[in-house]
Amino acid sequence: MVSVPVKPLFVVGLTFSLLLAVILLSPSPQFVNTPFSSASTLDFDIWSVKRIAEWRPCKWWLHGHLTPLPAKSNGFIRIDCFGGLNQMRRDLCDGIGIARLLNATLVLPKFEVAAYWNESSGFGDVFDVDYFIQKMNGFIKVVKDQPTDISSKEPFRVDCSKRKGQFDYRESILPLLLEHQYISLTPAMSQRRDRYPQYAKATLCQACYSSLRLTSSLEKKALELFNAIPKPFLSLHLRFEPDMVAYSRCEYPNLSPSSVAAIKAAGGDKKPWTGEIAQSWRKRGKCPLTPNETVLMLQSLRIPTSTNIYLAAGDGLMEMEGFTSVYTKVFTKSALLNHEDFTRMHGNTKAALDYYVSINSDAYVATYFGNMDKMVAAMRAYKGMHKTMFLSRKAFAELTSQGLEEEELKKALWEVHRNDFEIGRGSALPDCFCEFKL
């Protein structure tokens, strides 16, 4: 029989007990793995960062008491909308706020018919008209048809390009509305919404985020597309089309000959900036990210290369080979939808599909901060979906100008975007959303 000393056993037992206590009492990790996290427990992606603030719909809009509509309307206003779908949607929201400000009755908006956008879809071809009227009830009166005495004539066209704030609208446009009784306008981008009385701001918010639902046929197609994308997935709004690059006037030295030719064809007389002007322009964040630069940015956010990515983008993206060679699970609407259905679609309906998928995706990343990105970010905040990120072109330009490369560059980009995500920067616009500390 072999005897075992008691003291060593006691020491071993005590040591084991202490180790167990340390493990059980240690604080939990600061971050939590998500579907997009890598397998390593030490490598956390951007969505795992603990947020300290979020943007949510303001209570004065959602739960505030509506100012009763005046018994008598001052006339009829039609909002004329131009450009792509999201630009038209922005103008529509602004215009409805103006119409409420002027105590006008809203006529259904006019959407531009534009060959450039391959577009012939009207407001009713994209959005559910009856739902729109129902949701705006109490905020503003909406009619499908004008009274017979004005229905036969075109509205008096009002130029809003130099109007700013409620005082100019009331002082200079209201007299025209009272005189002609039926006017049309396209809102100016420079208007000061912060000067609006709260009832006009609430009307704008309601119009933009609660009243616009796709038609049943278009929503059915959007849901079909959404269901075809493997889950979970990230929606990426990537902008690197020839016309956009030409308009930016940024120079890219390593593009393929076909991309260079496409940019020149789209730019016409526009030439890229050179010298100090080009450097200053890029440092201000004015240059679109290339697909290769986007890859580096996503990797800096520790988004695994195995992530399912839906490409929310228009036709004509350039230099995609470098992107798809790294992020190989990329899905597009043209590949997922029936070819015949896809070719019959116009610009607005295609953009509506991207919008629907993006506001419902597990995560949303944009390389730009355009009309679609602002609308998507706000709608995601409205729905309580906060995995939204805008890649900082300005930070990328500044850090690369300092000579940072590879892992050092990725680390610096991580710090920038982590700080942005913590405080919810860029996740919504302040017009209808308020910041909540977590």
Side-chain angles (χ1 to χ4, degrees):
M1 183 174 180
V2 179
S3 63
V4 180
V6 176
K7 188 173 181 180
L9 277 177
F10 173 76
V11 172
V12 171
L14 180 62
T15 303
F16 177 77
S17 300
L18 289 173
L19 286 173
L20 183 62
V22 168
I23 292 170
L24 292 175
L25 296 176
S26 295
S28 58
Q30 183 181 2
F31 306 128
V32 181
N33 279 334
T34 71
F36 293 104
S37 299
S38 69
S40 170
T41 57
L42 300 177
D43 191 17
F44 304 101
D45 68 29
I46 193 67
W47 314 124
S48 306
V49 172
K50 184 177 180 181
R51 297 169 69 87
I52 61 176
E54 286 178 355
W55 289 84
R56 300 173 184 171
C58 298
K59 291 182 179 179
W60 56 257
W61 158 38
L62 290 183
H63 307 299
H65 297 288
L66 286 176
T67 301
L69 292 172
K72 188 176 184 335
S73 168
N74 287 329
F76 296 84
I77 288 182
R78 185 185 77 193
I79 313 302
D80 292 349
C81 305
F82 298 88
L85 177 65
N86 294 292
Q87 180 181 334
M88 291 196 286
R89 179 175 178 150
R90 180 203 68 196
D91 288 346
L92 172 61
C93 299
D94 291 341
I96 292 174
I98 296 169
R100 179 66 181 94
L101 181 70
L102 301 180
N103 181 31
T105 298
L106 187 72
V107 176
L108 290 180
K110 179 183 178 182
F111 276 19
E112 175 192 30
V113 175
Y116 177 81
W117 298 96
N118 183 26
E119 190 48 62
S120 61
S121 304
F123 177 78
D125 297 312
V126 179
F127 297 112
D128 185 330
V129 171
D130 291 331
Y131 182 81
F132 173 72
I133 295 174
Q134 173 197 334
K135 296 296 287 186
M136 294 310 300
N137 183 41
F139 288 89
I140 193 171
K141 185 178 180 182
V142 185
V143 296
K144 291 183 180 180
D145 303 299
Q146 307 94 307
T148 53
D149 57 332
I150 64 172
S151 61
S152 60
K153 63 179 183 179
E154 275 294 301
F156 180 80
R157 176 71 185 157
V158 177
D159 180 11
C160 290
S161 60
K162 296 181 181 179
R163 318 288 178 183
K164 293 183 181 178
Q166 60 164 311
F167 303 105
D168 282 338
Y169 283 118
R170 282 176 168 163
E171 291 175 6
S172 55
I173 296 183
L174 182 56
L176 295 172
L177 175 63
L178 293 171
E179 177 186 353
H180 297 279
Q181 283 296 292
Y182 182 28
I183 67 173
S184 68
L185 56 86
T186 299
M189 291 179 64
S190 59
Q191 65 184 294
R192 294 287 303 278
R193 297 173 182 167
D194 59 313
R195 293 181 178 178
Y196 283 16
Q198 205 163 79
Y199 64 83
K201 288 175 68 176
T203 302
L204 182 154
C205 298
Q206 179 73 4
C208 219
Y209 304 113
S210 288
S211 69
L212 295 177
R213 183 174 74 181
L214 298 181
T215 63
S216 57
S217 60
L218 192 52
E219 187 166 296
K220 181 180 178 182
K221 185 61 64 179
L223 185 59
E224 176 188 328
L225 174 60
F226 178 82
N227 289 336
I229 305 169
K231 312 297 187 299
F233 73 96
L234 179 152
S235 180
L236 175 66
H237 190 209
L238 179 58
R239 299 296 311 274
F240 202 69
E241 302 92 343
D243 58 326
M244 185 186 185
V245 176
Y247 179 79
S248 74
R249 306 191 71 170
C250 296
E251 192 168 25
Y252 298 87
N254 299 317
L255 300 184
S256 66
S258 60
S259 296
V260 172
I263 294 168
K264 285 183 178 178
D269 295 333
K270 285 189 175 68
K271 304 297 180 185
W273 299 118
T274 58
E276 291 184 6
I277 296 178
Q279 294 176 13
S280 173
W281 192 246
R282 184 172 291 276
K283 283 185 178 182
R284 288 173 60 191
K286 298 296 185 180
C287 295
L289 292 172
T290 69
N292 283 334
E293 290 169 345
T294 303
V295 165
L296 191 149
M297 293 281 262
L298 292 180
Q299 289 179 326
S300 76
L301 301 181
R302 303 168 188 172
I303 304 296
T305 55
S306 59
T307 300
N308 297 315
I309 295 179
Y310 173 76
L311 201 58
D315 302 325
L317 277 179
M318 303 180 295
E319 305 291 310
M320 283 301 296
E321 296 82 3
F323 185 93
T324 54
S325 65
V326 178
Y327 285 90
T328 55
K329 296 181 179 180
V330 177
F331 304 88
T332 62
K333 53 186 172 294
S334 60
L336 293 173
L337 291 176
N338 177 281
H339 179 70
E340 187 176 343
D341 286 349
F342 182 77
T343 53
R344 282 203 304 262
M345 288 183 177
H346 296 287
N348 280 350
T349 51
K350 288 179 180 179
L353 297 184
D354 283 340
Y355 175 81
Y356 180 92
V357 169
S358 295
I359 65 173
N360 290 294
S361 59
D362 298 280
Y364 179 75
V365 173
T367 65
Y368 198 62
F369 194 53
N371 292 312
M372 175 174 168
D373 308 305
K374 295 171 185 175
M375 290 289 183
V376 168
M379 277 304 298
R380 289 178 63 83
Y382 178 70
K383 292 160 66 74
M385 303 174 72
H386 298 288
K387 290 183 179 180
T388 303
M389 173 61 66
F390 295 99
L391 302 183
S392 176
R393 294 172 293 165
K394 185 175 181 180
F396 183 84
E398 180 63 37
L399 293 169
T400 52
S401 72
Q402 296 172 15
L404 271 63
E405 296 179 352
E406 298 301 328
E407 295 308 312
E408 192 178 17
L409 175 59
K410 289 179 183 178
K411 182 179 179 181
L413 288 169
W414 165 263
E415 294 294 330
V416 169
H417 291 90
R418 183 196 63 189
N419 293 338
D420 285 352
F421 189 71
E422 280 180 340
I423 62 174
R425 180 178 291 135
S427 61
L429 300 179
D431 298 311
C432 307
F433 294 83
C434 297
E435 188 178 28
F436 286 79
K437 300 294 184 182
L438 299 178

